[in-house]
Amino acid sequence: MKFQTVKSFLPMPEGQKVITMFSENSPADALSAGVRNAASERFEELKTCIHEVGHAFSAIKLRIPVDWVSIDPFFIKQRVSDWKGSFGIGACAISAERIAPVLERGRLLSKEDKKDVVEYGITLMAGPFAEEMYQPSSYNIQTSEEDFEQLSHALCMLEPRTFERNRIWRVIFKSTTSLVEEIGRRYARLQNC
């Protein structure tokens, strides 16, 4: 199956789940330097939570089933056999039943295919966008490279025309920004209750 070449697609039964993973290098660096304390651990956990919640809420909003979301390495390792994580890593498993057939074909055949790819892209980008929007002072784009790489690989495989691929990126980015802002407004309303 072609979609298995996408790094974050792990071998799952019949390709029915997409795993998006967020890897944070700075906690390991801090640990090795011996300067990591409880406050910074909580801050890194918060960043990871915000990132994974972005993936999960966007999937729910787009009616894409979410199987599970976690920042617990033990929980994740039980569900993803070849996961090699440490502290500061989260994962969100969403259904791939809409995107898998498009990725297996390796090309966009209809408007529905394009819609599915855009919604898949929004779900992937919502993690990094949420993290950047709600923790801008500490956002590091390198921590979200896997999400960007996964979407970039899928788009390159599905749409050979650069102009059209760039147009899809713009739609994904604009839609993701609106969705993450909506999540923020809803969260703010909950805090005011």
Side-chain angles (χ1 to χ4, degrees):
M1 295 191 294
K2 286 184 180 180
F3 69 84
Q4 288 182 327
T5 60
V6 177
K7 221 165 117 176
S8 290
F9 272 85
L10 302 176
M12 294 284 181
E14 302 176 8
Q16 291 303 302
K17 293 180 186 168
V18 177
I19 308 293
T20 63
M21 292 188 183
F22 166 69
S23 175
E24 177 66 60
N25 294 328
S26 59
D29 296 343
L31 180 60
S32 66
V35 296
R36 192 159 138 205
N37 60 33
S40 68
E41 285 180 21
R42 285 189 201 103
F43 181 73
E44 295 303 328
E45 279 183 345
L46 175 63
K47 283 175 47 175
T48 304
C49 288
I50 290 169
H51 184 104
E52 296 307 329
V53 163
H55 291 307
F57 277 161
S58 64
I60 291 166
K61 178 76 174 171
L62 296 169
R63 293 180 166 50
I64 299 171
V66 175
D67 188 26
W68 53 266
V69 182
S70 181
I71 64 165
D72 179 356
F74 301 107
F75 178 91
I76 298 167
K77 193 152 181 86
Q78 288 175 343
R79 281 151 183 80
V80 184
S81 60
D82 61 350
W83 184 73
K84 297 171 181 63
S86 61
F87 176 82
I89 296 186
C92 177
I94 62 171
S95 170
E97 67 184 34
R98 288 181 7 207
I99 191 68
V102 179
L103 292 170
E104 286 173 0
R105 272 195 312 274
R107 62 178 185 234
L108 301 173
L109 297 178
S110 66
K111 287 183 179 183
E112 190 65 30
D113 286 353
K114 188 181 270 187
K115 178 182 176 277
D116 290 341
V117 167
V118 166
E119 289 181 353
Y120 165 74
I122 291 168
T123 302
L124 278 176
M125 293 298 96
F129 277 46
E131 183 186 351
E132 181 180 21
M133 189 172 289
Y134 299 108
Q135 297 291 330
S137 63
S138 67
Y139 178 71
N140 179 351
I141 194 165
Q142 292 174 337
T143 62
S144 301
E145 279 182 11
E146 192 162 333
D147 292 329
F148 286 99
E149 184 180 308
Q150 183 176 346
L151 180 56
S152 180
H153 181 81
L155 288 178
C156 286
M157 180 177 70
L158 296 170
E159 181 52 70
R161 298 170 297 175
T162 304
F163 175 79
E164 187 60 28
R165 196 168 51 241
N166 289 341
R167 200 166 72 123
I168 294 170
W169 271 107
R170 286 191 299 274
V171 169
I172 289 169
F173 275 50
K174 183 177 180 184
S175 301
T176 304
T177 300
S178 298
L179 183 66
V180 170
E181 287 172 349
E182 179 185 337
I183 292 168
R185 286 191 299 274
R186 288 178 183 220
Y187 177 69
R189 276 188 260 151
L190 287 174
Q191 284 185 317
N192 292 330
C193 290

